[in-house]
Amino acid sequence: MSEFKIHHHVSELMSTLGVSSNDGVGAEVYTDMLLKNITPYVTTQVSAHNAKRKIASTTKTPEEFLQKHDDLKSRNIRDLDPLTHMLSKLADDQVVKAQLEKHAKDKAAAAGMTLTPHSSVISQLPAPGTKMSPKDLNQVRDKLLKQAEATSSTVSSDVIRKIMHDKSAPRNVDIPAQPDWLFQRPYLTMDYVMDSSQPDDTNVVPLATLSTAQQEQAIIEDLLFCMGGVEGKYILVHPLQDKYGERTFSIDQSLDISLQELTRRILPLCSNYSTTVRFIEEKSAFEYGLVNHALSAAMRNLIKDYMILVAQLDVQRRSGQLSLQKLWFYMQPTMKTMEILASVANSVNKGECIGGPVLSLLHEKTLSLTGDTKSQELCLYLTQVACVPYFEILEKWIYKGIIRDPYAEFLVEENETVEKERLQEDYNEAYWEEHYTICRERVPVFLEQVADKILNTGKYLNVVRLCGRDVKYPNAEEIMYTIKERQYVEHIEKAHSYGSKLLLDLLMGEKDLMARLRSVKHYFLLDQGDFIVQFMDMAEEEMKKDMDEIMTTRLETLLELALRTSTANVDPYKDDLKVDLLPFDLISQLFKILTIDSRKEKDYRVDSTDHRLSGLEAFSFDYIVKWPVSLVLNRKILFRYQMMFRHTFYCKHVERQLCNVWISNKKAKQYTLYSSRWYAAAFALRQRMLNFVQNFQYYMMFEVVEPYWQIFEANMEKEKK
């Protein structure tokens, strides 16, 4: 998290808690403390569980807290474990707890609200059927209204607006249209079909008229039907109360009690089957992405094996070799499998997961089953299959610098509106920072540590590709998901090293970056004195004019002449140097950068454009940089070089003026020695000013710029090797 974002959050927290900045202790102080003490927090299953238990033991309503925590966990909330850990730390700090409680009570009292839990309010209501007077009714109404206001005011409107904005943000995907018949044919499903228009079967024999053995065979047949998604004669399927709700059944009550009990134990298998096939059919649609498609395909393969088992059991039933007890025994492994599949489906549905969050959920599910080898192998299989399309996108990105993400699932997002041609126009690093960005919601938890490396690796290769070079990573290997993250992390780190070296070789070798930087240093930092002296001699008269009267083409001609007749003539990039007349002087330029763009300062901002500038005040150099060197020497960097040049150029001008004064003072030699004493004070002042300007320039060039330039060159040479 950046310093500015931390400062913003600290300011918001202080404003929410009503903490004022006094005695020099403000948001800046707390921000510095946080930045100095910030450490990466690694969430583990043990630490998260301990934190949850600690909070539950200190709260007045532990059941509500645990229920809410489990609900958020099922929705795959990314920051839940770190937040729970932080709350557990706050629970130990009695001073902070007292302060927060006091602030909450004061705020509730000021707003006329209550902090009473919902359960306490409901428990205070009269029991159903109690006779109430109008006075009692008014009291209950006031109590409920007060609680409703407290609930609605718990979250600020800004927070709600942000949540709704993030929730409704559409993905930039092109989803193919599906044919209408796919939705008009109700029997194109593996789930139960609830068709009330079909007449009831009149050939159903009442179970009460059958013997126990016959009842057992009849209920086995119904169970096998239900296992395949077909409603039985004596086991009826209830309509779903919710789209992702659990399927429920009712058993004919005339069935033998022992058979009923055994049947109820088997029916959760049918319910889990219904949940799984509904998930498969829904997530196979285009809009749910390739990861869900792969996960659905893996589940579909398991459902095929399940249906084969059901068919084999039906064969045994027809041959009279299957009893209900045998059926219960045979289905034990399958029941565990279907339970895991339904659990995964419910978690994905609750969290509305697509892409990376699905993989995060599967990864955490796999780790949570440590100790249960069979269940962990099943989850590992689902995770590996679901990772295949995601890792294919990842391989193309880190091996070729190409993104093919048709359903916006990958952790790297491309912004096509930011073009590389704008690097010469925008005073920021928008292309490098914004053309490809990390979408944190799509990062799987097992790739969080290398997310930045993945982003930069693809960026490096993409730059090389845009230069017309074919990118072929020689050691490209298929990336497979494993519980041990080190295996695919090594592939990513090797690809990152290759991509960074390839781009560095391109910039330092073919594009000759260091020669470009030395060229910029020659002109903007006045590294070659003869060139600038010749130019100032030739352009002196032109510089004295107002900016509007100066012909830029004449200055360009004088600049080219100075370049051709000085030591700068050997520079191969001298033709990229241009003249630029800026509409503001250096001081206005600095103030323009330092101005804070907020409502408080808007009344103090003035237009920095000054049309009465002289050519000397408006003059600056500009430099033409082509791709990909423009990634390094972008407009933002050149803007800084321009400010340094304008400062040193003006110092040169002052030095020339003082030298001209020295020349004009030579006329004092024609006077007698006694009369020249009148000029001694002026001569001494002129000499002191000249010495100061020269020493100031020496300090800037030889004490500041040159040492840092040598360090910079040494670092670049080290990286090159």
Side-chain angles (χ1 to χ4, degrees), residues 21 39 117 133 146-147 205-206 223 252 301 352 370 429 500 552 711:
S21 302
T39 56
S133 64
K146 191 175 184 181
Q147 181 66 14
V205 180
L223 279 173
D252 192 331
N301 289 335
E352 299 180 359
T370 302
E429 300 168 349
S500 59
T552 307
I711 295 173

Side-chain angles (χ1 to χ4, degrees), residues 45 362-371 376 481 483 485:
Q45 295 287 337
L362 290 171
H363 174 75
E364 292 177 351
K365 187 78 173 177
T366 304
L367 293 181
S368 67
L369 293 172
T370 302
Q376 190 176 47
Y481 170 82
I483 297 180
E485 300 178 5

Side-chain angles (χ1 to χ4, degrees), residues 79-123:
D79 297 326
L80 179 61
D81 288 342
L83 179 61
T84 306
H85 184 266
M86 184 192 72
L87 292 176
S88 69
K89 294 294 184 183
L90 291 177
D92 292 337
D93 195 327
Q94 299 300 326
V95 177
V96 176
K97 281 177 62 179
Q99 179 64 28
L100 292 174
E101 185 176 1
K102 179 179 179 300
H103 176 266
K105 289 180 178 179
D106 294 343
K107 189 174 181 180
M113 299 185 300
T114 178
L115 298 179
T116 307
H118 299 168
S119 57
S120 300
V121 174
I122 294 174
S123 63

Side-chain angles (χ1 to χ4, degrees), residues 655-705:
E655 182 186 6
R656 286 172 58 84
Q657 293 295 98
L658 291 172
C659 289
N660 291 335
V661 173
W662 176 80
I663 294 173
S664 64
N665 287 344
K666 294 296 182 182
K667 295 181 180 180
K669 291 183 177 181
Q670 62 185 338
Y671 303 115
T672 61
L673 182 62
Y674 177 78
S675 60
S676 63
R677 293 177 182 176
W678 297 100
Y679 300 99
F683 293 167
L685 177 61
R686 180 257 304 158
Q687 191 60 38
R688 285 198 297 269
M689 288 192 294
L690 182 59
N691 288 339
F692 169 76
V693 172
Q694 290 175 340
N695 283 311
F696 182 52
Q697 291 184 82
Y698 169 83
Y699 170 76
M700 288 191 298
M701 300 306 300
F702 293 96
E703 298 292 338
V704 179
V705 174

Side-chain angles (χ1 to χ4, degrees), residues 122-132:
I122 294 174
S123 63
Q124 296 174 15
L125 297 177
T130 304
K131 294 183 179 181
M132 300 177 62

